[in-house]
Amino acid sequence: MRITTAFAAAALMATGASAQDMSAFKPGPVFPQFGPHAPVAGIGQVPADTEFAIAFDVAKPADEGTVNRGFESAARFINMHVAHGVPEDNIRIAVVVHGKAVMDLLARPDNTSADMVQVMLGEGVRFIVCGQSAAAYGVKQEDLLPGVEMALSAMTAHALLQQRGYTVNPF
C-alpha cells in the first residue's frame, strides 16, 4: 500500500513538473532562432575571463519533425553563458555524434537539424562524426553537411578533445 501511494505521489509530482511555465526561456544572443535558456536571478554574471572547452556526446537522433535535442543543448550552453557575461570567443564547443544521430548530419532535404547545424558551424561549433557509426550506417564524408568532421571513432574524438582540454558535458 505504501509503495502504491509513493508511486501515485511521484506521478503527480512528475505531472506538475511537466506543466511548468517555460515563458521565461528565450533563445539568443548568439543563436536567436534556437537554444532557449532562462535568466537566473541572483547569480550575477559569470566572470568574463571564464573559458569553456566542452564536448557534447550525442547518440540519440532527433524525433521526427524536430531538431536534434543534443545539438540544441550545445547551442543553449553557448547562448546562456554569453547572455551571462562570458565572451563568445571564450567558448569552444565540439559535438561528438555517434549511433543513429549521425543521420541528423546528412546533407539531405528532409534533415530537420540541417539549418541549425549550418548556423552552429558558422559560429565555430565543431561537429565530429564517429567513423565507426558512419560505416555501420553506410555514411561517407561526402554525405555529410559541409564542415562536419569525421573521426576514426567517437571514442577517438573524445580522447583527442580531452587531450586538448575539453571536458565532457554530462547532459
Side-chain angles (χ1 to χ4, degrees), residues 36-123:
H37 60 96
V40 179
I43 65 158
Q45 295 286 84
V46 178
D49 63 347
T50 300
E51 293 189 20
F52 290 110
I54 309 289
F56 285 76
D57 184 85
V58 179
K60 187 174 188 270
D63 292 331
E64 189 173 330
T66 67
V67 296
N68 187 297
R69 288 180 49 95
F71 301 173
E72 188 163 36
S73 289
R76 181 177 306 109
F77 185 92
I78 294 168
N79 276 342
M80 79 172 127
H81 287 91
V82 170
H84 282 89
V86 178
E88 187 178 350
D89 289 343
N90 288 8
I91 303 173
R92 295 180 296 149
I93 300 294
V95 182
V96 178
V97 183
H98 57 101
K100 190 90 173 179
V102 167
M103 307 311 267
D104 293 333
L105 293 174
L106 295 180
R108 61 180 196 205
D110 64 338
N111 181 354
T112 54
S113 297
D115 289 342
M116 179 176 63
V117 170
Q118 295 282 1
V119 170
M120 292 173 72
L121 285 165
E123 290 294 329

